[in-house]
Amino acid sequence: MDNIQQIASNSKTFLSFSSVLSKECLNISKLLHQSGFKKRSGADILTMFMVFIKSIFCGAYSLHDRYSLNDVESPACSYYALMRFISNSKHNWSLLLLLVAKTAISIISSLNNKGHVYTLCVDDTVIERPRGKKIEGLSRTFNHVIGKTVKGYANLLITWTDGITNIPVASELMSSRKEDCIIRKHNKRIDKRSAGGKRRANSVMRKPKLLVKLCKGILNKGIKAEYVLMDTWFYSDSLVASLKELSLDSICIIKKNLKFTFAGETVRHNLKNILSTLGQRNHTSDIISSVIVQTESKHQVKLVFIRNRNNRREFITLLCSNIHLTAEEIVELYSRRWAIECCFKAAKQYLGLNSECFARDYDSICALNRISYIRFTVLEIIRRHEEDPRSYGQLFRDSCSAIRTISFIEALETLSICFTSLIEALDKAGYIVKGKTQEAYKLAEGLIEKWYDSISEFLKKLLKHSNIPEFLNS
């Protein structure tokens, strides 16, 4: 990380899109080769990929508009060459997104302490194509935000987060499995063994089954995660059990109509009855109570009841498959799931997720979907680099080492000098009455001596009067 973040021992470099994608950071050229991107003639793969990555930042709403801009340098390849590039069914865009995420995660993880908890967030959003009739794989899907059925795809997304940075790891565009909802079927001429054939097979899988498949692929690539954060729509007893087999614990909000049993009992209770039986309640905190129960398949889970801030009489229930976590830790971990909602909003509003693509073939639509999330990953790396002081590299570590070597006496002297400088600053600003400066110094001296008299005998032996700053004895 130091080689891309630091030119000298006391300065940061400014990261641009090109510098993040270069060999010193993500090394996107190598990742394209590992993902099976090949080209025999014409413009090289990296040049064409960079055109797609940067097109949305040139003021163009789509790739076609990119060529109509007069104040921007024209790309080195034609529009049709770019469309042939993204419509190639042999290009594995899902693998490219996963490799980019893996490299970005390795950079970000180096900034965190050992033992830091990493999580995966799961959610879906609707990619609308309201005028589409001949778009491959298009179907009618229900949009929970507006409460209506629309034409489009359901975009299943998995992101990795450490609580600060959110990185898209896997994305799939889902079509409806119902024949009545399908507007146009997938192209059957595509080889099922190719990347395009596997994309089409994933698009008609059930979401829980696809989620387990994607999580397994993420872990096999060496990406570390301990928990999966999900919304209400994804929870099922079988899904939690399948993720548990992958050594992934689940944390999710559950519906109020679900029923559980207490340990050693056979009677199933709903959430309201379970909460009413709990004796110890916290009436001041937002966390009401927590309890360990059993699911229908006899798996132990922990339920955390949280007071609804919009209506204090109602409650929200979190379920966690790790019963050893405290209620506070479960709530803190689940709060990370909001990052994926911000990812959807940023990708749709600024990165062309819902507006850039006008293609009809499924391969091009999937390619532009993954490209928008790669843009988001690059921006997250730049944001973390600019905001996190640990990205200074060796300078930050040297500063921490210097702070640790400061003795307690030096820290006390520094604190005493701060008292002195505060009085001087107040005197110069005119907040102390003339002739009362010495009395202010005596007041500060009295406060420190009062603190000294109240500390333990051990510290009194450690601190001798000769070590107290001179102004205390003056």
Side-chain angles (χ1 to χ4, degrees):
M1 188 65 182
D2 294 340
N3 57 350
I4 67 166
Q5 293 173 330
Q6 204 172 336
I7 293 179
S9 60
N10 58 351
S11 64
K12 268 189 179 181
T13 60
F14 173 76
L15 288 185
S16 63
F17 254 76
S18 299
S19 60
V20 173
L21 296 172
S22 63
K23 292 182 179 180
E24 289 75 17
C25 190
L26 290 180
N27 197 358
I28 195 67
S29 179
K30 180 181 178 181
L31 300 183
L32 285 167
H33 179 72
Q34 292 177 354
S35 303
F37 287 77
K38 297 178 181 179
K39 202 168 181 294
R40 290 183 296 179
S41 60
D44 61 285
I45 294 293
L46 182 59
T47 301
M48 301 179 79
F49 179 79
M50 293 300 293
V51 172
F52 280 103
I53 287 291
K54 296 181 178 180
S55 63
I56 198 71
F57 303 102
C58 298
Y61 293 102
S62 65
L63 185 64
H64 187 272
D65 294 340
R66 172 73 174 79
Y67 283 83
S68 62
L69 297 176
N70 297 324
D71 55 342
V72 181
E73 184 180 356
S74 300
C77 50
S78 66
Y79 170 78
Y80 299 101
L82 293 172
M83 295 308 295
R84 287 194 300 269
F85 170 66
I86 61 174
S87 62
N88 192 334
S89 61
K90 296 180 181 179
H91 293 164
N92 197 337
W93 289 96
S94 297
L95 179 58
L96 177 63
L97 177 63
L98 184 58
L99 293 177
V100 169
K102 178 185 176 182
T103 310
I105 289 169
S106 64
I107 296 172
I108 294 168
S109 299
S110 63
L111 302 176
N112 297 324
N113 300 325
K114 292 183 179 179
H116 194 88
V117 178
Y118 303 113
T119 58
L120 296 176
C121 302
V122 181
D123 203 356
D124 60 350
T125 187
V126 175
I127 307 297
E128 292 189 33
R129 297 296 295 271
R131 296 185 178 182
K133 294 181 180 180
K134 298 182 179 181
I135 301 173
E136 184 184 356
L138 190 69
S139 62
R140 293 180 180 88
T141 182
F142 186 75
N143 191 339
H144 296 279
V145 178
I146 61 177
K148 294 181 180 180
T149 300
V150 297
K151 293 180 181 179
Y153 302 93
N155 184 194
L156 177 65
L157 179 66
I158 301 177
T159 63
W160 174 96
T161 179
D162 62 345
I164 304 173
T165 306
N166 190 39
I167 302 295
V169 180
S171 174
E172 293 290 344
L173 292 178
M174 309 293 294
S175 299
S176 178
R177 301 177 71 251
K178 300 178 180 178
E179 291 290 337
D180 298 338
C181 296
I182 297 175
I183 299 174
R184 191 174 183 85
K185 295 183 179 180
H186 286 294
N187 187 1
K188 295 183 179 180
R189 296 181 180 180
I190 302 297
D191 189 356
K192 294 182 180 180
R193 298 169 297 178
S194 64
K198 294 176 182 178
R199 277 194 292 268
R200 288 164 174 82
N202 289 340
S203 67
V204 293
M205 289 179 63
R206 293 186 179 274
K207 286 184 182 178
K209 187 176 180 179
L210 179 60
L211 174 58
V212 174
K213 179 182 177 181
L214 294 176
C215 289
K216 187 176 181 180
I218 291 169
L219 297 177
N220 289 340
K221 284 296 179 182
I223 297 176
K224 296 181 180 180
E226 299 178 32
Y227 299 93
V228 178
L229 313 179
M230 301 178 289
D231 203 359
T232 312
W233 318 105
F234 289 93
Y235 170 75
S236 67
D237 195 9
S238 59
L239 176 60
V240 172
S242 299
L243 293 174
K244 193 74 174 180
E245 293 177 358
L246 299 176
S247 300
L248 288 172
D249 288 305
S250 304
I251 303 177
C252 57
I253 293 180
I254 57 175
K255 297 179 180 179
K256 292 184 178 180
N257 59 355
L258 295 179
K259 294 183 178 182
F260 301 89
T261 60
F262 290 104
E265 297 184 4
T266 57
V267 181
R268 300 174 65 193
H269 305 276
N270 59 27
L271 297 179
K272 191 173 183 180
N273 291 339
I274 293 174
L275 181 59
S276 62
T277 57
L278 299 179
Q280 296 180 353
R281 289 195 187 184
N282 193 336
H283 297 283
T284 58
S285 174
D286 289 333
I287 301 176
I288 303 173
S289 185
S290 62
V291 63
I292 297 175
V293 294
Q294 288 183 346
T295 61
E296 188 176 0
S297 58
K298 304 301 179 182
H299 291 106
Q300 282 193 334
V301 295
K302 191 167 191 176
L303 300 181
V304 180
F305 297 94
I306 306 170
R307 199 170 275 108
N308 190 344
R309 290 186 176 181
N310 297 325
N311 188 349
R312 304 289 290 184
R313 295 181 179 180
E314 296 183 356
F315 62 89
I316 301 170
T317 309
L318 290 180
L319 180 144
C320 180
S321 58
N322 186 355
I323 61 175
H324 301 292
L325 289 180
T326 64
E328 289 77 13
E329 289 173 336
I330 294 173
V331 174
E332 182 181 356
L333 286 173
Y334 190 77
S335 64
R336 298 183 181 184
R337 204 199 69 83
W338 182 250
I340 196 172
E341 303 289 353
C342 299
C343 176
F344 281 138
K345 182 178 180 180
K348 285 184 176 182
Q349 193 167 352
Y350 304 108
L351 304 178
L353 177 61
N354 202 20
S355 59
E356 185 182 18
C357 180
F358 294 98
R360 293 182 179 180
D361 63 293
Y362 187 72
D363 293 309
S364 299
I365 297 170
C366 289
L368 292 172
N369 175 268
R370 310 305 191 273
I371 288 172
S372 64
Y373 289 125
I374 292 175
R375 292 172 184 148
F376 185 86
T377 301
V378 175
L379 291 176
E380 279 289 276
I381 294 175
I382 296 174
R383 183 185 67 83
R384 183 66 178 264
H385 170 74
E386 296 298 325
E387 295 181 358
D388 195 338
R390 288 171 290 189
S391 62
Y392 277 101
Q394 190 60 39
L395 176 63
F396 177 79
R397 288 187 283 272
D398 292 342
S399 300
C400 292
S401 177
I403 291 174
R404 285 193 296 267
T405 57
I406 295 177
S407 64
F408 187 81
I409 300 300
E410 292 173 349
L412 179 63
E413 291 180 355
T414 305
L415 180 63
S416 303
I417 293 172
C418 288
F419 269 94
T420 309
S421 59
L422 176 63
I423 295 172
E424 292 177 354
L426 291 173
D427 187 27
K428 290 180 180 180
Y431 292 107
I432 298 178
V433 181
K434 291 183 178 180
K436 300 290 184 178
T437 306
Q438 294 298 325
E439 294 183 9
Y441 279 111
K442 290 181 180 180
L443 179 62
E445 177 186 347
L447 290 174
I448 295 180
E449 287 183 348
K450 186 177 180 181
W451 167 82
Y452 178 78
D453 293 335
S454 63
I455 64 177
S456 63
E457 293 296 330
F458 171 77
L459 289 177
K460 286 183 178 180
K461 293 179 181 179
L462 179 65
L463 296 174
K464 298 179 180 179
H465 287 284
S466 58
N467 293 325
I468 299 177
E470 295 181 357
F471 83 96
L472 289 177
N473 297 325
S474 61

